[in-house]
Amino acid sequence: MTAHVALAVAIAALSTGQGKQLYGQYCISCHGANGEGVAQARTIGGAPQRIQEQQSARGPSLRGVGALAADFYLRTGYMPLHRIGDQPRRSRVLFSDLEIRDLVAYIASLGSGPAIPRPQPQLGNLAEGLHLFTDHCAGCHQVVAQGGVVTGALPPALDDATDVQIAEAVRIGPYVMPKFSETAITNTQLNSIVRYVDWIKHPDNRGGWAIGDIGPVPEGLVTWFLAAALLVALCVVVGKRLKRA
Amino acid sequence: MRKYLTAAIVLLLGRGHARRTPRVLPTAPPNPGAEAAAVALLFLAALLGVGFIVVYAVSSLPDQTQLLGAALGLSLLSIAGALIIVGKKLVVTEELVEPYPPDEHPGEQELVVELVEESGERITRRRLFKLGVGAAGGTLGLAALTPALSFGPLFQTKYFRGTPWRKGRRLVDEGSRPYRASDIEENDFYTAFPEGSTLQSREDLGAPIVLVRLPKSRLRLPPELAGYAADGIVAYSKICTHAGCAISMYRAPLFQPDEPRPALVCPCHYSTFDPADGGSVLFGPAGRRLPMLPLAIDAKGYLRAKGTFDDQVGPTWWGTHIWRPTP
Amino acid sequence: MIRRAVRYLDTRTGTTPIVRKTLRYLFPDHWSFLLGEIALYAFIVLVATGIYLTFFFVDSTREVVYHGPYVPLQGQHMSEAYRSVLNISMTVRAGLLIRQTHHWAANVFIAAIILHLFRVFFTGAYRKPRGLIYVIGVTMLMLTLLEAYLGYSLVDDLLSGMGLVIGYSVGLSIPFVGANVMSWLFHGPFPGQSTLWPRMYIAHVLIFPVLIGTLLTVHVLLVAMRHHTQFRQTATETERTVRGVPAYPGQAPRSIGLMFATAGVLFLLGGLVQINPIWLWGPFHTYVSTNGAQPDWYLGWLIGALRLVPSFDLVIGKYTLVPNPFWGGVAFPLVVFGFLYLWPAIERKITGDTAFHNLVERPRDNPLRTALGIGIVTWVLLVFIAGSSDRVYVWLNVSYTSQIDIYRVLVFVIPLLAAAIAHRVCEELVAGEKVERDERAAEAEARLART
């Protein structure tokens, strides 16, 4: 028993060591040594997955963000940022699963912060999920989670978001997204939201070809470029064309 | 070749019968290929029609809507195809010429004018008569329109000023639980209604508000709104002053230096409001800032309205700035 | 058999001369003359499917709780109207097909009207003696936009509610009377009283359809009285004679075929392509909204205009003279429809041409009109495209705010440019034809000289 604990502690220590190394390689220029953040912007060069030019770097402190935030930003490919100051976007994940675990462990060790959440969508209620999603999320992410627009940023579509990532994002509020504490959205409610987002990845498209599930814009395109085009072509078949004078 | 032969035979046989009236249409030979195609399409349409009924009757089919639409649509298109073949290949299409109808009928016009003028000859005091007709018709017309006033209050605009918010009313969430100041956290936004509101009255434009907490150091409320915030919490009408949609977006930057500043945004036309500055317009078409609700925190820590909004709620109309909102 | 039927009708109605005349009515043959027919057939589909829907729709905003088969909405509070449309889509067999076909038919109806309007405008078919027919047509377009908007609003889903409150705000923004008129129409401020829905419903299923149907009948009858226009097909064609295919048997199968084809395409779309999946949007409440809310395409030009206007209300003292939505939501469509109504008179003034015209012109034959038309169309189209800049931001990642700034300039520059180009193209085309004609004449002369 004690041997197990000792082993676990040893592995943890080892992996934080590995994580610290990765941190030094990829994160330190913006988030500072030991994750205290960089307030005064400083000039840095290119790095893997970063745009290959000089740019000024600064970034928030990572102390106390916990495993939750680190896990989210690394597994979505939000970090490292391609260009500093841009909205983080879902992109290729730079690290292996093991590396992510090490890095997450290291960042978690910087201060006491929340652990990676374990949402249980099967315990959630779909109807409550839609209701909560409409109240809290649809304004930005669109009611079918197809993503949308806010002035200055692009709330993403949630097609690729995993259960854990949804839960993490709700708690962090990445980029300009609001963050929701456990009093604002309880973990039970969060289960329902995750259940809804999972469900809406394959919405009930009983009407046929879904054309994006975003309503009138693609419908207008179909009206003009499919229906109207077809009917005009038919007119040309049925009617006569002008012969050249 | 055979086509022409049969045509010739038909024509010869046709001659045998004596016709009482001359033919209306010119003759043309039959077109067996087109005819076969048209008949085939008609039967296909019939088959698809049966298909529609069958699909309708079998309730357990998946994608029933798609099958129904395909059956009906294709059936209709088959009939269309058959008819177009008939029109283009199977009936005689003559191009005829005839004169356009005359531009005018001066003689007839003259007759009508004469008729109307002569019909009134026995009336001597014409102007008085016309006045009478006008008065009778006009007033009766007005009278007929009057009941339409029952539709709604045409002359009363006081309803536009009303809000359910008044001094001391607590702020509750959708589940009617009162908000404590401590519930409101930075970087989140909350929708609140006046305590005691019903599901129905929450639909009024004056009811919903949006709550945001900002660091007190960042608040830059204009002087006339001083004292509207409570411990950094600010409350605005949730209804956009432009076109009345719900302001359901809160831009809440996680890392202020690099990201756009906090803002309340409406998803309809992207009017963007600054919650730190009394809801002033940062971008978009809204013509005035968001109405602000003055807040207080009571002894038990609950959020309460200190009065009603500083400005009228909802989309702007001609009287928006004339009257203050009334509780 | 046929003889007996004809005799039966003639002896009872005495209409055989009219029937004979109708059957031999001449249709000048050109494909573009069929665009108006498409609109007519879409209208027929609309009426037919609409009647079916009325049997299931409930025009009430009474608050109910949903207990139907669609799980994500179970237990949610919603209006009876919205619930009834959910039922049409979920539990009424063939209901969704009819509902979707109705919606597609509305979209196609308006598209066909606009194509028809383009044909009439760019060929000058509105000129004397068809001015009244044209005015009725433009009026029908306007009524149709309102009618379609009402239908969209009746459903009371999240998108339709957002559309309704925007329409309310636009109405409210009318100077001097806006608030009074909207208070009158809505029975008080938004969201109105329980009287609002029956009112909108009767307007949608009776008042507007009857108005449109009546105008449509008059429109078609007047066309028949004045007879169709035609293109000049031979050099000897005059304004005085019409050349065409008689209604029967030449034209009828083709036109009826087109009717079946229109209906076929609409039902195919209704079954195969999902339109307005209202169950996904959820019910409307004034305090919720969704991103990416857009009106149906035919109102896209108005949302574009609403978004492009910069932030200002025109206020004099404490009196708000012009609230912001007026410019995009009222002034802009007024200018466009005002132009459509007044253009024939303006053209008469400019050209001094008050003669009767039965021959229509090709667009190139009248560069001024064509250039002006292209300019206006480009203007409206640009505003329309600006209305979807949020989707463009999502698809192409061009910042929304900079798009709006760019459009604010482009909507004034590009139409002028487009008009100038159109004018030039017309002139070039005509010049090209003249060169060709001259060459052919020269060739013929040369041939003549050789022989």
Side-chain angles (χ1 to χ4, degrees), chain A residues 38 58-60 73 84-85 131 135-136 138-140 149-153 172-181 183-184 205-208 234 237-240, chain B residues 63 65-66 77 80 84 88 95 174 177 182-183 185-191 238 248-255 257-260 263 265 267 270-272 283:
Chain A
V38 175
R58 57 183 166 186
Y73 280 101
I84 291 151
H131 190 79
D135 278 1
H136 295 290
C140 292
V149 168
V150 58
T151 38
I172 305 166
Y175 199 54
V176 298
M177 174 172 162
K179 71 184 227 194
F180 303 88
S181 69
T183 43
N205 287 323
R206 59 178 63 213
L234 218 71
V237 170
V238 171
K240 205 159 75 175
Chain B
D63 303 325
T65 301
Q66 283 68 57
L77 283 177
I84 289 170
K88 299 213 98 171
E95 218 177 33
E174 229 195 330
R177 278 178 305 271
S182 56
D183 294 335
E185 294 169 59
E186 271 180 35
N187 273 15
D188 191 358
F189 74 121
Y190 304 80
T191 302
K238 201 180 176 179
S248 54
M249 297 200 267
Y250 181 42
R251 193 171 77 189
L254 191 65
F255 184 57
D258 274 353
E259 296 171 7
V265 185
Y270 300 105
S271 287
T272 306
F283 176 81

Side-chain angles (χ1 to χ4, degrees), chain C residues 308-327:
Chain C
L308 283 181
V309 177
S311 160
F312 72 96
D313 288 338
L314 204 63
V315 183
I316 293 176
K318 290 196 154 192
Y319 193 88
T320 309
L321 195 64
V322 188
N324 189 290
F326 177 80
W327 303 109

Side-chain angles (χ1 to χ4, degrees), chain C residues 173-441:
Chain C
S173 74
I174 299 169
F176 309 115
V177 296
N180 306 67
V181 171
M182 293 326 272
S183 158
W184 179 67
L185 278 177
F186 275 66
H187 205 160
F190 192 87
Q193 307 275 324
S194 59
T195 44
L196 176 61
W197 239 252
R199 181 173 298 187
M200 284 182 8
Y201 185 51
I202 206 67
H204 179 71
V205 301
L206 183 77
I207 301 173
F208 278 86
V210 166
L211 273 176
I212 293 169
T214 311
L215 288 177
L216 200 109
T217 314
V218 176
H219 189 77
V220 170
L221 280 178
L222 285 180
V223 168
M225 293 299 290
R226 273 296 162 199
H227 221 117
H228 279 77
T229 53
Q230 61 183 351
F231 281 107
R232 188 192 294 278
Q233 298 201 37
T234 59
T236 53
E237 207 109 60
T238 69
E239 297 271 9
R240 296 269 32 108
T241 54
V242 54
R243 168 197 299 275
V245 181
Y248 193 85
Q251 184 65 30
R254 291 197 269 167
S255 278
I256 300 171
L258 202 58
M259 176 169 82
F260 277 95
T262 308
V265 167
L266 292 175
F267 274 100
L268 268 187
L269 281 176
L272 300 180
V273 188
Q274 180 164 284
I275 188 164
N276 201 20
I278 48 121
W279 56 93
L280 295 179
W281 312 147
F284 173 71
H285 300 289
T286 47
Y287 49 85
V288 291
S289 53
T290 173
N291 207 289
Q294 296 273 6
D296 274 351
W297 76 264
Y298 44 82
L299 293 181
W301 56 310
L302 299 186
I303 198 171
L306 284 172
R307 284 178 177 176
L308 283 181
V309 177
S311 160
F312 72 96
D313 288 338
L314 204 63
V315 183
I316 293 176
K318 290 196 154 192
Y319 193 88
T320 309
L321 195 64
V322 188
N324 189 290
F326 177 80
W327 303 109
V330 185
F332 176 55
L334 270 185
V335 168
V336 173
F337 273 101
F339 169 78
L340 286 175
Y341 275 119
L342 297 179
W343 169 247
I346 297 170
E347 189 186 49
R348 275 199 302 276
K349 201 108 213 173
I350 297 174
T351 58
D353 178 5
T354 53
F356 286 79
H357 292 283
N358 289 321
L359 286 177
V360 289
E361 296 170 300
R362 296 173 308 166
R364 67 184 72 169
D365 297 330
N366 195 326
L368 174 73
R369 177 200 298 139
T370 304
L372 195 69
I374 292 285
I376 300 261
V377 170
T378 313
W379 185 48
V380 175
L381 194 69
L382 265 179
V383 175
F384 178 89
I385 294 171
S388 49
S389 8
D390 49 346
R391 282 288 125 193
V392 171
Y393 186 13
V394 176
W395 288 331
L396 303 177
N397 196 22
V398 185
S399 140
Y400 178 80
T401 46
S402 34
Q403 278 190 66
I404 292 296
D405 289 340
I406 292 167
Y407 278 122
R408 279 175 182 160
V409 180
L410 287 192
V411 290
F412 294 105
V413 179
I414 300 282
L416 294 176
L417 217 68
I421 292 171
H423 199 273
R424 187 64 196 270
V425 167
C426 289
E427 284 178 337
E428 294 285 326
L429 282 173
V430 171
E433 279 178 346
K434 190 174 182 312
V435 169
E436 218 173 280
R437 247 196 332 269
D438 290 350
E439 270 172 13
R440 251 182 301 169

